[in-house]
Amino acid sequence: MSKIVLNSTINEPVVLTIGFFDGLHLGHFFLINAVNSWAREKAGVKSAILTFDRHPRAVLKQDYKPSLITTLEEKVWLFEHNCESDYCIIENFAEIAGYSAYEFMKYLKKRYNVVGMVVGYDHRFGHNRTETFEDYARYGNELGIEVRQLGVSPNDDNLNISSTIIRKELEQGNIKEANKYLGHPYFLFGTITEGYKLGRTIGFPTANVKIYEEGKLVPEDGVYAVKMLVKGKWERGMLYIGNRPTVNTGLKSIEVNLFDFEEDIYGEKVMIEFVDRTRGSMKFADVSELQSQLKKDSEEVKQILHGA
């Protein structure tokens, strides 16, 4: 479990890697594991990950609207639960955006006692991102920071796993592919809110989910098999994303029907993990036809979640 560092310094020497780490996927863990291994080789040295509070492009271009695989809160949760690094440093990007690569490395040395840095094969940092790995290595020699470069992370698909690839899979509803590249289930944090309550009248009561952050990527419309953490317990259910074409509300929603669950959870904060997608959004002739399809959806989702 990583210790989160905000507005603080680190006195003990560290090796680190830098990035926005949207999704914290297998490609990221290739870098992070290299940092962790390097730190373990050096007596008294700790491992660290440095990321940013906001998407760098959203700071540099005010009209840029990020589509985030993980919000900052979700990313912190992953750092705390899925990483073996000693520290996760969260920097205010706006405060360092104007630094050159040399100035940034000097800042890292002074504030976080950085003695080693691992960069990806195509990673660039610093104002205008004009320097190369050779420049970083040269600056490191001057500042007392050893800089190492890593190649492409190996994987069965012979694919350079990236946040862009995962984002496209999610936008197409390909949850199983996205989860494979993430190395963990795609998830979102949200709050249960009041809805239209149509579902309870046809035997499928649903809880409406309001996501925390506007920039969070919501997968393609359709029906999904999900698990939801609520009140400290994992529940299983089916989730619908989309408009309500059959009842013509015209509003996009995220609503989940939990199996064998009857508690009042309005106002509860929840975590929802996506397991698979069963179908896209459909319009039905009437509510009776919708009810019939939901019964089929429920059985299919229960089969998917059996043993999950």
Side-chain angles (χ1 to χ4, degrees):
M1 179 178 287
S2 302
K3 179 181 178 181
I4 307 301
V5 176
L6 289 168
N7 302 318
S8 185
T9 58
I10 299 176
N11 295 320
E12 49 200 343
V14 302
V15 295
L16 58 64
T17 188
I18 304 161
F20 186 63
F21 300 114
D22 190 20
L24 201 59
H25 54 66
L26 291 178
H28 296 144
F29 274 104
F30 183 57
L31 278 172
I32 292 167
N33 290 338
V35 168
N36 294 344
S37 297
W38 189 8
R40 285 193 289 266
E41 294 170 4
K42 300 166 77 72
V45 175
K46 300 295 185 181
S47 59
I49 309 156
L50 186 145
T51 192
F52 307 109
D53 61 331
R54 294 176 60 196
H55 196 294
R57 250 184 270 172
V59 175
L60 300 173
K61 297 181 179 180
Q62 292 188 346
D63 59 345
Y64 177 73
K65 301 294 183 184
S67 180
L68 300 172
I69 300 171
T70 43
T71 65
L72 180 60
E73 183 178 3
E74 292 164 356
K75 196 158 46 177
V76 166
W77 187 93
L78 284 169
F79 284 134
E80 290 182 323
H81 292 84
N82 286 25
C83 286
E84 296 180 2
S85 302
D86 296 301
Y87 295 103
C88 171
I89 302 164
I90 300 174
E91 274 286 343
N92 183 326
F93 185 78
E95 292 181 358
I96 61 173
Y99 286 5
S100 67
Y102 180 82
E103 290 169 333
F104 184 50
M105 290 178 69
K106 188 176 180 180
Y107 170 80
L108 295 178
K109 181 69 175 181
K110 182 178 180 180
R111 187 174 179 88
Y112 302 117
N113 198 13
V114 174
V115 297
M117 180 187 297
V118 177
V119 296
Y121 76 99
D122 62 348
H123 185 69
R124 299 281 183 95
F125 60 87
H127 183 60
N128 291 332
R129 300 170 66 188
T130 55
E131 285 105 332
T132 64
F133 170 74
E134 287 71 25
D135 294 314
Y136 306 149
R138 181 161 44 85
Y139 301 155
N141 286 335
E142 181 181 332
L143 295 167
I145 300 174
E146 183 181 349
V147 185
R148 296 180 179 179
Q149 187 176 44
L150 231 57
V152 178
S153 60
N155 62 85
D156 294 338
D157 291 349
N158 197 27
L159 182 72
N160 179 20
I161 296 173
S162 68
S163 300
T164 300
I165 288 171
I166 294 167
R167 199 173 291 114
K168 287 179 180 177
E169 296 290 358
L170 291 169
E171 288 169 349
Q172 295 171 10
N174 299 329
I175 290 296
K176 292 184 81 171
E177 285 296 302
N179 287 350
K180 180 173 72 172
Y181 298 143
L182 284 167
H184 57 81
Y186 182 70
F187 70 97
L188 58 81
F189 288 156
T191 304
I192 302 301
T193 62
E194 291 272 359
Y196 286 87
K197 301 180 180 179
L198 169 67
R200 68 180 58 184
T201 67
I202 58 175
F204 293 92
T206 59
N208 274 51
V209 182
K210 181 180 180 181
I211 57 177
Y212 290 170
E213 199 166 313
E214 186 180 346
K216 171 70 175 179
L217 190 160
V218 177
E220 171 68 359
D221 292 358
V223 174
Y224 293 83
V226 299
K227 294 192 289 184
M228 187 168 91
L229 181 64
V230 56
K231 293 185 175 181
K233 185 180 177 184
W234 284 103
E235 305 289 345
R236 291 174 169 82
M238 64 177 180
L239 178 142
Y240 173 71
I241 298 172
N243 300 318
R244 299 176 175 90
T246 305
V247 292
N248 295 316
T249 64
L251 299 175
K252 192 157 185 167
S253 66
I254 303 173
E255 44 191 297
V256 59
N257 168 245
L258 297 177
F259 304 138
D260 305 315
F261 187 87
E262 297 180 357
E263 294 183 46
D264 181 359
I265 54 173
Y266 287 126
E268 290 288 336
K269 293 185 176 181
V270 299
M271 174 181 179
I272 297 176
E273 288 188 349
F274 289 73
V275 179
D276 202 358
R277 180 173 182 253
T278 62
R279 66 169 173 87
S281 181
M282 299 167 62
K283 183 173 182 177
F284 303 96
D286 50 38
V287 172
S288 175
E289 190 175 308
L290 167 63
Q291 183 181 34
S292 177
Q293 179 60 48
L294 288 175
K295 288 179 182 177
K296 295 176 184 176
D297 292 335
S298 178
E299 290 306 312
E300 185 175 357
V301 168
K302 285 177 181 177
Q303 286 207 351
I304 291 171
L305 294 174
H306 181 68

